[in-house]
Amino acid sequence: MSAFVALPSASSAGPVERVHSLRGASEAPPAPAATSASTCATVAGVAALGAVAAAGQRRKHRAALAKGSSTTQMPKPRSLANAKVIVCAGATLPEGRKLRVAVIGGGPAGASAADALAQEGIETYLIERKLDNCKPCGGAIPLCMIDEFGLPKDIVDRQVKKMTMISPTNKEVQIGQTLKDDEFIGMVRREVLDDFLRQRAKKNGATLINGLFMGMTIPQQKNEPYVLTFNEFADEASNARKGEKKTLEVDVVIGADGANSRVAKDIEAGDYEYAIAFQERMRIPENKMEYYQDRAEMYVGDDVSPDFYAWVFPKCDHVAVGTGTVIDKKGIQRYQQGIRDRAAVRIDGGEIIRVEAHPIPEHPRPWRVKDRAILVGDAAGYVTKCSGEGIYFAAKSGRMCAETIVKSSKNGVRMIDEADLMEHIREWDSKYGPTYLVLDLLQKVFYTSDAARESFVELCEEEYVQKVTFDSYLYKTVQGNDPMGDLKLGWKTLSSLYKYNNQKTPDPMRTLV
């Protein structure tokens, strides 16, 4: 799933020692790096609590940096597994041989990583089992992603300029008044976006393999290769499940194979909590499709999700209607019926053309690096709480990881090691750690009851919330700093929460106007 949400921007600060744990992991949420502006409000409209939480985290981080602490090192019990070692530089590869990297998974994370590696001349293999991937995903991407990742304009099905937030009692709040004429949220189909990114990586030199990754043999000695086993399918178009068993030797493995990552299992990266996303692609009558020409909808309420939101997002010639939940996965069908009922007036007469379901990670895995294997995207757990946004962060993590490998290997002529890959983890946690911390807090505050959700939607009416939210989402950086605006919104937030939590049970008659 992917929806828009304001994100705090953080920058790496200060040099750090190249001293790492043997497993290269962060078992607790990373300490955030300093930011230059106050944090954010979510699309449903909370800036105050986010700003307060992030400000506290920034103060702690600055204090840690003053003492020379690393943002990725957390206190752990003393044990051999957590012993600290200083890893020496890797050896130069034999003349004429480049570093060999296998990327498992061809979604935004894997395809972006493969593309960045191949462009720098590194021997790159991209293994993807399902080349017509249609992950159940809202498909929202920020405006900055189009230029940053060189996406063609026609890859965007719809340019959303209006977002309607709908409360448990069907109160509607229209968001988007602060957008400029050339600003919008891009709505894409994953099968189109993913294919474009994969084909570009292939064009730039990556070897694209249509195959099912089965597992890998872990090196037992330094600089020994990983031996990957996979079933290669002869016909890319048909994706027939029977394939030819093959092996491949590589120096580095990037696991971009989603929430059910086989790479994560092989490197014992640990489990994480996950949500189930369920989505129906629905072709609705043309007169109803007109309403969704440049509009998306988000519904909140216990009837559509006990801990998340439901959505109706426009695509090229249809809408995606879906929901998600962590705490009641078995009830997903009931919540999907809930969003069908809530949106009935606007999707009545629609024909379901595709049904999709998929696990979505809720937080980073306990371990993301082991030796010369690393996880990115959903496999690493890079999906934001509260909004469920994952496309941009998947692509960004893949590219950032690849850039670290290129730099550390000196464009593929040097063998890298765990310490090199840990540089990527450190950079990622420093840059985006505050985002995950703040959105986790906001979800706990506003997705716990219908009273809190009513407050959540009411805050969307605030122009300040809308401006900070859209500016932050579209450009992935906080735009401006208004302490008075934060203070006023903080009071508004607390007042709204108090009001709705002390009201009688909301009117159960939920009829859309």
Side-chain angles (χ1 to χ4, degrees):
M1 277 166 285
S2 185
F4 61 95
V5 61
L7 299 171
S9 172
S11 57
S12 300
V16 289
E17 277 189 319
R18 283 168 54 88
V19 180
H20 312 287
S21 73
L22 289 174
R23 290 298 308 273
S26 296
E27 293 200 33
T35 63
S36 58
S38 64
T39 20
C40 57
T42 65
V43 69
V46 178
L49 291 178
V52 172
Q57 291 294 335
R58 290 197 298 271
R59 287 193 296 270
K60 291 178 182 178
H61 180 65
R62 284 195 292 268
L65 289 177
K67 296 178 181 179
S69 301
S70 165
T71 62
T72 60
Q73 293 179 0
M74 308 297 295
K76 301 188 183 79
R78 294 176 63 87
S79 69
L80 179 60
N82 295 323
K84 306 297 178 181
V85 295
I86 299 178
V87 185
C88 299
T92 301
L93 293 168
E95 187 175 352
R97 181 167 97 71
K98 286 281 192 174
L99 188 75
R100 302 165 299 180
V101 181
V103 183
I104 314 301
S112 298
D115 186 37
L117 291 167
Q119 285 192 52
E120 298 301 328
I122 288 177
E123 189 176 327
T124 307
Y125 301 89
L126 177 58
I127 302 176
E128 169 59 45
R129 67 180 179 85
K130 193 172 176 58
L131 296 178
D132 64 344
N133 178 45
C134 293
K135 181 180 176 181
C137 173
I141 62 172
L143 183 62
C144 66
M145 186 175 178
I146 296 174
D147 289 335
E148 186 177 345
F149 286 84
L151 302 178
K153 293 293 177 67
D154 60 4
I155 209 168
V156 176
D157 286 341
R158 300 276 177 172
Q159 296 184 6
V160 169
K161 296 177 178 290
K162 303 170 187 174
M163 176 67 76
T164 302
M165 288 291 303
I166 303 170
S167 79
T169 57
N170 280 329
K171 175 183 178 179
E172 295 188 8
V173 171
Q174 307 301 328
I175 306 175
Q177 299 93 310
T178 63
L179 286 177
K180 299 175 184 176
D181 291 342
D182 60 346
E183 293 180 329
F184 59 87
I185 299 167
M187 290 291 170
V188 301
R189 284 165 289 161
R190 283 291 302 273
E191 63 269 28
V192 176
L193 173 66
D194 293 9
D195 182 65
F196 170 79
L197 294 174
R198 283 193 296 266
Q199 295 304 322
R200 183 168 67 182
K202 180 179 178 180
K203 181 180 178 181
N204 286 329
T207 299
L208 178 58
I209 299 173
N210 180 206
L212 174 63
F213 174 69
M214 304 296 290
M216 60 186 181
T217 302
I218 306 297
Q220 299 302 308
Q221 297 182 13
K222 184 178 179 181
N223 298 341
E224 215 175 55
Y226 289 84
V227 181
L228 278 54
T229 302
F230 61 95
N231 281 345
E232 183 172 17
F233 308 132
D235 187 349
E236 289 189 3
S238 67
N239 267 322
R241 291 300 89 190
K242 291 184 179 179
E244 181 182 357
K245 186 175 180 179
K246 292 189 176 181
T247 60
L248 176 69
E249 289 189 356
V250 295
D251 304 306
V252 180
V253 177
I254 298 178
D257 46 342
N260 291 323
S261 172
R262 181 58 193 258
V263 175
K265 290 181 176 65
D266 285 350
I267 67 172
E268 299 178 348
D271 295 325
Y272 51 24
E273 184 60 272
Y274 65 92
I276 289 293
F278 190 96
Q279 176 174 277
E280 294 169 322
R281 308 268 194 116
M282 190 176 295
R283 188 168 284 118
I284 60 178
E286 285 188 26
N287 62 324
K288 293 184 181 294
M289 195 67 196
E290 276 295 312
Y291 175 77
Y292 293 106
Q293 181 177 353
D294 61 352
R295 181 190 305 274
E297 292 180 320
M298 293 173 64
Y299 294 75
V300 292
D302 276 332
D303 57 332
V304 297
S305 176
D307 57 327
F308 204 58
Y309 65 88
W311 64 90
V312 180
F313 284 176
K315 304 298 180 181
C316 58
D317 60 353
H318 62 277
V319 292
V321 182
T323 184
T325 176
V326 176
I327 66 176
D328 187 12
K329 301 178 184 67
K330 293 182 179 179
I332 193 67
Q333 293 283 0
R334 182 171 73 255
Y335 302 125
Q336 183 65 15
Q337 184 60 52
I339 179 57
R340 286 197 213 104
D341 294 342
R342 291 278 294 280
V345 173
R346 289 169 183 159
I347 64 174
D348 185 49
E351 173 194 1
I352 296 175
I353 58 178
R354 189 162 190 155
V355 178
E356 304 156 348
H358 200 76
I360 305 293
E362 276 290 288
H363 56 79
R365 288 190 187 272
W367 307 93
R368 287 167 281 165
V369 175
K370 182 179 181 182
D371 299 330
R372 285 172 278 127
I374 186 169
L375 304 174
V376 295
D378 280 13
Y382 297 150
V383 175
T384 60
K385 286 265 188 101
C386 199
S387 71
E389 184 186 5
I391 296 176
Y392 175 82
F393 293 109
K396 187 70 173 180
S397 67
R399 175 179 284 185
M400 286 175 63
C401 178
E403 290 171 347
T404 297
I405 291 172
V406 168
K407 179 180 178 181
S408 300
S409 68
K410 297 182 179 178
N411 290 78
V413 301
R414 170 189 175 273
M415 179 65 75
I416 67 169
D417 51 38
E418 183 176 294
D420 296 314
L421 296 179
M422 275 301 298
E423 291 299 322
H424 163 66
I425 298 296
R426 192 193 323 280
E427 181 184 11
W428 178 266
D429 288 348
S430 178
K431 189 175 183 66
Y432 295 114
T435 297
Y436 296 96
L437 289 170
V438 170
L439 294 183
D440 187 16
L441 170 65
L442 295 178
Q443 186 172 36
K444 287 180 171 63
V445 172
F446 288 106
Y447 284 78
T448 55
S449 69
D450 276 358
R453 295 181 186 103
E454 288 289 342
S455 173
F456 182 84
V457 173
E458 182 180 81
L459 291 170
C460 290
E461 293 180 311
E462 295 292 318
E463 182 178 342
Y464 179 69
V465 170
Q466 294 189 27
K467 178 171 175 54
V468 173
T469 294
F470 273 106
D471 286 350
S472 300
Y473 174 78
L474 294 178
Y475 306 107
K476 287 293 174 283
T477 179
V478 173
Q479 306 291 318
N481 182 22
D482 183 357
M484 283 303 297
D486 288 344
L487 185 61
K488 289 177 181 177
L489 188 58
W491 176 251
K492 172 82 173 179
T493 300
L494 295 174
S495 299
S496 180
L497 285 169
Y498 177 82
K499 177 178 72 174
Y500 284 108
N501 276 287
N502 285 276
Q503 278 185 351
K504 293 181 180 180
T505 303
D507 183 0
M509 297 300 293
R510 295 170 172 173
T511 305
L512 284 174
V513 181

